[in-house]
Every structure is written in C-alpha cells, then in structure tokens.
Amino acid sequence: MGTDSTGTESRQPVMADVAKLAGVSHQTVSRVLNGAPHVRPDTRDRVLAAIRELDYRPNSAARALVTRRSQTLGVVSFDSTLYGPASMLDGIERAARSAGYFVSVTSLRSLDGRSVQEAVDRLRDQGVEGVVVIAPQTAAVSAVSRLSSSVPIVAVGSGNQTQLPMVSVGNRYGAGEATGYLLDLGHRTVHHLAGPANWLESKDREEGWRLTLQAAGAPVPEVERGDWSARSGYQAGLRIAGLRGVTAVFCANDHMALGLLRALHEAGRSVPDEISVVGFDDIPEAAYFTPPLTTVRQDFGELGRRALELLVGELEGGTSSPTHVQISPEMVLRRSAGPAIGR
C-alpha cells in the first residue's frame, strides 16, 4: 500500500484491474499469465500491455495454490566463494530464469549426510519442486546417494559415483589432455600439483595425469598437494623450484598455478624457458597471468545450465531413469608452456 499524487492511499493492482484495462475477462488474464495456448495474439498483447502499464505483479502464493506448482527450484551448494561453485550457481540461476523458475539456495559449510538431508528437507518445506545438489567432495557424493526425497534431485560434480541424474566435467580427460600436451612438447615427464585428496575433481585429475604418464612410459613423480588456493600453490612452488630435473608442471586448478608462477619467479626459474606450467579451469584472470596461462577450460556456467535442464526435464517431461551428462573440457593454449628442446 502507498499514496498517490493527491495524498490518498493507493493499492497494488489486482488481476481484475488488468482485465478491466485490457477489456478481457479475469480468466483470459489468468490464461495469459500461465502461458496457456489458444489465446489470440492481439488479446495477449493487450493483456501484457495492461500488465506493464499497471505494473501488476502476480501473487505467487495464490498462483501456487491454483496450479499446485511453486515454480521454485532448490540448490544445495558448498563454499560458494570458490570460483567453480559460484559460477555453477550463476549458470543455474540464469537457466532457471529462462525456464520460468525461481531459485532458492542453501549453502553449507559441511556436506555430510545429515547436513545435506536437512538442507533438502528445508527446501522441500519451502515448496520447491526439485533440487540441484553441487557435490564436489567424496563425503558429499556419499550423502547425495543416500538422500530420501519426494522431489527430483540432480547432482553436479559427483563423477559417476551416484545413481542420481548427474552432470559433471570430464576431469580425467582434461588432465590427460594437459599432460599429453606437455609430453608432446618433449618433456621427459610432468610433475603434478594436485588439489585436496577429498575432492572428486582432484582425484579424477590426478588419475588422468597418472594414466597418461603410464601410457607414455614416462616416470610418475611424487605428487605435490595444495588446497585450491594461490597460497598453497605458492608454498608448493617453493618446493618444486628447488627440485632438480623439473621441466613441466600440471596444476589441478588455475589459482594454484598462479601461486606456483609467483614462487618460480621469486626463485629465478623462468616460465616457460625453464619450467612449463599448465593449469585447469580457465578462470577469467588466467589470460592476464605472467606469462598468460595455458590451461584446460571447463565451462562452469554450462554445467549449471545442463543440471537445471536435467531437473526441469524430470519435472516437466516425467523422465525417471538416471541420466549422466558429461561435458568435455578443452585446452586453451597461451604462453606458460613451451618445448623441452635442449633442456
């Protein structure tokens, strides 16, 4: 409620006001709002024009009572301050808006079974029609696999370790591409700066790196491990800079690669003249590292979009069989990796 220009109390417009201005029935306005077919184009245009003129906002609660649909989807996320989960959330929200859905997000500090189940239950209490769970850790996958819910659930980033409908990136493939690229440049072997051991992405990328070296008959060096942060990459980089015979490093993400580049610079090790570096993710800043980072691009927004599509398909198409969607990453060549000739 508010006041108009004369100081009298005004009210929010209702559907009857739209119908009166457009010269149609209340039922016709409802059909336009619900996207019903068989409404004449000129009639639809008049109704939409009236809605804009009156700045009419449908009552979503009342609409849900009539249609028995909230048009709201839930998302359970973990550490949305990280680039990957934050970008997935953005992709999910954009896709939801395009499909005519609202999104309710719950971000958890821990993805254990109890926390995930409670988050899903809270979202169900809010009336969501389906849930996307971003599950990058092994504990999260175990929790998602045991979820009990009366609404459809789609997992993101859980590899092939759950029978739920799932969307993931080809981490083993991408790591193999990065490692193979460095071997093709003539490096005798490739060292690896891995992510946390309890993250599925880290495990898959490490496996892709290891299998590629083994297939090529190359030595498999001991793994250095970080926590995805540039700080941990820097600390590992100080150790790597002191190792003899290191000519190439594949980093499990770009932030650790950034820290590694700083450590190598401080140690007087030239990149790529002495040591080649390849990352994973292709964060927006990767092209502006010194030197610009060669990396493996994964489209986080596409991951979110495909997860949302899978969930909406479950809701509107009635599909019930588990579906696994894997998105292939791609190499992005810049200037942080070079030939091993003469090393």
Side-chain angles (χ1 to χ4, degrees), residues 200-251:
L200 291 168
E201 294 170 339
S202 177
K203 287 186 173 184
D204 286 348
R205 291 170 196 177
E206 183 178 338
E207 184 174 351
W209 161 78
R210 189 183 307 277
L211 290 174
T212 302
L213 290 180
Q214 290 173 344
V220 181
E222 184 176 349
V223 171
E224 291 283 347
R225 196 171 297 281
D227 62 7
W228 299 129
S229 70
R231 178 190 294 273
S232 69
Y234 174 78
Q235 292 168 342
L238 294 177
R239 295 190 295 271
I240 290 171
L243 296 176
R244 297 183 60 183
V246 178
T247 66
V249 182
F250 164 53
C251 301

Side-chain angles (χ1 to χ4, degrees), residues 30 124 222 280:
S30 178
R124 286 177 56 205
E222 184 176 349
F280 202 113

